[in-house]
Amino acid sequence: MNLQRSYLADFVSLLFPELCVACRESLVANEHLLCTDCRYNLPYTNFHLLPDNIVARQFWAKIKLEAAVALFYFTKGGKIQNLMHQFKYNGMHQIGNLLGNMAGEQLNKNEIFNTVDFIIPVPLHKKRLKERGYNQSACFAEGLAAKLNAVVEDNNLVRAKSTETQTHKSRFARFENMQEVFAVSNPEKLINKHVLLVDDVITTGSTLEACGEQLLKVPGLKLSIATIAYAE
């Protein structure tokens, strides 16, 4: 019976092969979501080894951070754009858990991230969450939490109002667009805690900055940031 099931699975995979979410090539046995070549050769930033990396510098003189990193470089038409499209728009929420695991394995090598108490994803507005069915940043947070021995706190930072799309806006316009959008619903829980704020892709950093400003109003809170990708 098991042999028959194995033959059937092989036959189905031959007709409908599972594709790598980054390069769209067929996966082989024991590969899941990412092929082996992509898993090792995607454009990793290694920002966890560089305290003054590009992402961290974006927040200098804006909000106080312990550390800031992105797992990958994002380039238009590249593999990470393919991957993120599958993740955000094709319902493949499991990609977030995988990328969170991968990022967590890197962050474990940096002692700053080993002190994280809570991981907070940038929230979606209820309307957009209903349309998409899941918050991609929360999926990433869950994967990270499994590796960092931290707790996902996904209901404490809330989005008080919806906003216009940030695409094609200048940095100042993006910042203006994010003013008074976020609020902390239970600040007492975060007092004197190290919070890791996470999002999918960072460009100007205006959304993360707006979130960070609200979180840093909590007494004694230490803040770090991690994203899946940095858009060059």
Side-chain angles (χ1 to χ4, degrees), residues 12-216:
V12 170
S13 65
L14 185 64
L15 292 178
F16 306 102
E18 186 180 359
L19 303 180
C20 172
V21 295
C23 70
R24 309 305 293 161
E25 294 293 329
S26 298
L27 298 178
V28 298
N30 299 319
E31 291 182 338
H32 178 60
L33 294 177
L34 282 173
C35 67
T36 302
D37 182 66
C38 283
R39 187 179 286 267
Y40 287 99
N41 295 305
L42 286 173
Y44 291 96
T45 64
N46 290 316
F47 286 168
H48 63 293
L49 303 175
L50 305 168
D52 61 345
N53 64 72
I54 299 170
V55 173
R57 289 200 296 270
Q58 283 193 226
F59 298 98
W60 286 358
K62 297 183 179 75
I63 54 175
K64 185 180 186 304
L65 298 178
E66 305 301 307
V69 298
L71 180 62
F72 300 115
Y73 289 107
F74 180 105
T75 53
K76 195 169 183 179
K79 290 183 177 181
I80 297 303
Q81 184 178 34
N82 293 338
L83 183 154
M84 294 303 298
H85 184 85
Q86 298 295 318
F87 179 28
K88 293 178 68 171
Y89 305 113
N90 285 357
M92 299 189 69
H93 58 84
Q94 63 271 37
I95 294 174
N97 293 138
L98 172 64
L99 298 180
N101 284 170
M102 292 168 65
E105 289 172 359
Q106 287 194 353
L107 299 190
N108 266 329
K109 300 171 184 176
N110 184 323
E111 61 183 22
I112 292 176
F113 292 98
N114 286 320
T115 66
V116 168
D117 299 295
F118 293 110
I119 301 177
I120 295 183
V122 170
L124 286 179
H125 189 268
K126 291 180 180 179
K127 180 181 178 182
R128 190 167 295 177
L129 181 61
K130 185 176 181 180
E131 292 172 351
R132 186 169 296 168
Y134 57 93
N135 179 354
Q136 69 276 4
S137 297
C139 298
F140 179 55
E142 290 167 5
L144 271 168
K147 296 294 183 180
L148 295 181
N149 195 29
V151 176
V152 177
E153 183 81 357
D154 60 356
N155 294 311
N156 208 331
L157 182 66
V158 295
R159 187 181 285 257
K161 65 178 182 179
S162 185
T163 54
E164 301 172 13
T165 178
Q166 297 281 69
T167 307
H168 306 308
K169 288 182 180 290
S170 68
R171 192 195 189 288
F172 180 74
R174 289 183 184 219
F175 179 77
E176 288 285 296
N177 194 40
M178 301 311 298
Q179 292 304 291
E180 301 180 358
V181 170
F182 302 101
V184 179
S185 61
N186 186 10
E188 293 80 12
K189 191 171 184 179
L190 304 178
I191 292 174
N192 296 323
K193 301 298 183 182
H194 185 183
V195 169
L196 180 61
L197 177 65
V198 301
D199 203 1
D200 51 6
V201 179
I202 180 171
T203 50
T204 65
S206 55
T207 300
L208 289 161
E209 184 180 342
C211 291
E213 285 181 345
Q214 296 303 314
L215 288 167
L216 286 168

